[in-house]
Amino acid sequence: MNIAVWVISGFLALIFGMAGLLKSYQPIDKLLKSGVSWAERFPIPFVRFVGISELLGALGLILPWLFHILPILTPVAASALALVMLLAIFHHIRFKEYKAIPFNGVLMIGALFVAVARFNVL
């Protein structure tokens, strides 16, 4: 079970880390061209905030548990990322962007799995 949690944590950290980096520094027009259509509906500081939050969440999925420094931060980060994905699903439903929902759902389920496993509920 521990190996599965590490694999899923690594996958999520990679995805959220890359997405966070792009949203943190790329110009909005490049984000829009790469498929981040919601970025045009929010102020630029909010898009940057989401990017930095995703980047920190990606680090939180791995580093605290790996180094045994405040390991409670790992399931907290996973829970926060799951919440971000839930909000993203609601947003995509509202704007009829149904193609984005399955990917958000997979990320949310993965983050929930990591949160539950790291909270030692399994």
Side-chain angles (χ1 to χ4, degrees):
M1 176 64 96
N2 191 39
I3 292 172
V5 177
W6 275 113
V7 169
I8 293 171
S9 296
F11 171 75
L12 292 172
L14 181 68
I15 296 295
F16 282 111
M18 289 181 355
L21 277 174
L22 293 177
K23 291 172 195 157
S24 297
Y25 76 88
Q26 263 196 348
I28 297 301
D29 60 330
K30 283 190 177 183
L31 284 175
L32 294 173
K33 288 178 186 175
S34 68
V36 186
S37 60
W38 62 267
E40 69 182 344
R41 294 188 285 269
F42 290 96
I44 293 172
F46 181 77
V47 175
R48 302 297 184 225
F49 171 75
V50 170
I52 292 168
S53 298
E54 288 178 343
L55 185 57
L56 291 174
L59 294 173
L61 286 172
I62 303 295
L63 297 180
W65 202 266
L66 180 65
F67 292 115
H68 304 288
I69 300 172
L70 293 173
I72 190 67
L73 293 178
T74 294
V76 169
S79 300
L81 290 171
L83 177 62
V84 169
M85 289 298 99
L86 180 63
L87 295 173
I89 289 170
F90 287 142
H91 182 81
H92 290 306
I93 289 171
R94 179 175 180 214
F95 288 93
K96 296 179 175 54
E97 298 170 338
Y98 300 117
K99 290 182 181 179
I101 294 171
F103 186 65
N104 292 136
V106 168
L107 293 178
M108 183 181 73
I109 291 168
L112 286 173
F113 174 76
V114 172
V116 169
R118 293 302 189 211
F119 274 129
N120 291 320
V121 177
L122 293 179

